[in-house]
Amino acid sequence: MRFTREEIESAQRTVGAAMPPTPQYAWPLLAQRLGCTVWAKHENHTPAGAFKIRGGLTYFETLAREQPGVRHAISATRGNHGQSVGFAARRHGLAATIVVPHGNSLEKNAAMRALGVQLVEHGDDFQAAAEHAALLAEQGGMHRVPSFHRELVRGVSTAYVEFFSALKDAPPDVLFVPIGLGSGFAAAAAARAHCGVSTRLIGVVSAHATAYRDSFRAGRPVESPAGTRLADGMACRTPVPESLEVILREADDVITVTDDEVAEAMRILFSDTHNVAEGAGAAALAGALQQQDRWRGKTVGICVSGGNVDSGMFAGVLGGAGALA
C-alpha cells in the first residue's frame, strides 16, 4: 500500500485541522530499564485517546467529497475505531451507528455515545459485530465504514510521519508496532517510505490472538481464535488480505506478547512515564521488553497507540498480575 507525497501531505493538512501533532519522548527510566534509548510516540494523547482518529478524519473528508449524498455511516468496533468514526462523522454533520460486541468496554461505549453515536450491541466478538453492521447497512441504506481501508491507513500514516520527521537526524533502529487489523502497521510502513528512513518494523500481536503472526509465518492468511482478556484492540481472528500483504512485505518480524506481558508493560508505562495505556497501547513496549537483549545500546521506537482502558481494569492491572485472573 503506497501513497504519493501529495496524498500524505493532504492527510497531514486534514488531520492537522482537527488536532495538533502528538508528542514523542525519550523517557530516561525506560532507557534505564531496557538498556537503550526508547522513543515513545504518544497516540494516547489524541482527542479520542488513540491513533484511530487520524484515519477517521481522512476517510470522512474523502467520503464528503466523493459521496456528498451520504447522511448516515455505520461500522463495527471494539472502541477506538468507533470513536474515530463518531468524531469525524460529527465534524461533517453525519449520523453514525456503531455495532459493538456484548461485553465491550463500558467506558469506550460511553465515549462513543458522548460523540453522538448510536450504539448497537450484537454478538460475542468483533467478527459477529462486523457481520451485523454489514446487515444493518444493507437494510438501512447506510454507508458502511470498514475497519481497514486505504483512506484509514493514509490518515494514520501521519502519526508515523510526525515520528520519523522529528527523529530525522537519528531515526530509531527499530519500531515496534501493535497489530489489530493492521492499519497501524501499514501506516508505519507508508511513513517509513515517505520519510526515507531504514528503521526496521516489528509487528506485535497478542499471544491470545495470533492470526497475523501465524499468517506471517505461513505466508498466507491463517485464522486463529482471539481470546485476549486485556488487549481488545488486538483481538483479531481473521486477517485482512490487504493488510497482510503489507506485513509480509515490510515487517522484519511479527512477535507475540501475552496478557501478562502486556499488563507488566502497562504498569511500567505508568510508573516510568505516568502515561495510561490500554492493552494494545502497551503491546509495543511489551515487545521491546521481550527483545531488550537484541536491541541493547540501540535506539528503539514504540507506539503507545491508545490509552482507553476502563478504570476498573486498569486498577486491576496496577494491583498486580493476579488481579486479572
Side-chain angles (χ1 to χ4, degrees), residues 61-253:
E61 189 274 334
T62 301
L63 181 67
R65 283 189 290 103
E66 296 183 351
Q67 300 183 50
V70 171
R71 304 311 311 155
H72 197 147
I74 186 170
S75 194
T77 188
R78 292 301 299 260
N80 291 337
H81 175 65
Q83 289 184 68
S84 168
V85 169
F87 186 94
R90 187 167 68 173
R91 282 179 64 85
H92 289 277
L94 274 63
T97 296
I98 298 295
V99 184
V100 300
H102 292 290
N104 198 53
S105 160
L106 295 177
E107 292 176 23
K108 285 181 179 177
N109 287 354
M112 286 185 278
R113 288 190 176 105
L115 289 167
V117 163
Q118 178 186 349
L119 205 70
V120 175
E121 295 182 90
H122 182 89
D124 295 324
D125 62 10
F126 169 77
Q127 196 71 31
E131 291 166 1
H132 190 62
L135 177 63
L136 293 178
E138 185 177 351
Q139 291 176 342
M142 293 178 277
H143 176 86
R144 185 186 176 202
V145 182
S147 298
F148 184 92
H149 188 276
R150 189 176 190 276
E151 280 302 304
L152 298 175
V153 174
R154 186 168 69 93
V156 174
S157 72
T158 62
Y160 295 101
V161 170
E162 292 170 7
F163 181 72
F164 289 130
S165 297
L167 305 179
K168 63 178 182 291
D169 293 332
D173 297 286
V174 62
L175 174 65
F176 289 86
V177 185
I179 297 176
L181 287 180
S183 62
F185 188 94
R192 178 174 67 174
H194 177 81
C195 295
V197 297
S198 57
T199 300
R200 295 183 178 185
L201 301 178
I202 293 181
V204 184
V205 304
S206 170
H208 318 287
T210 60
Y212 275 102
R213 192 282 308 271
D214 298 344
S215 300
F216 179 76
R217 290 186 174 180
R220 58 178 175 79
V222 176
E223 290 194 13
S224 177
T228 172
R229 295 168 291 134
L230 188 56
D232 59 351
M234 302 166 74
C236 169
R237 62 179 169 92
T238 305
V240 177
E242 298 90 340
S243 172
L244 178 60
E245 180 183 342
V246 175
I247 292 169
L248 288 172
R249 186 178 67 243
E250 304 286 354
D252 185 70
D253 198 3

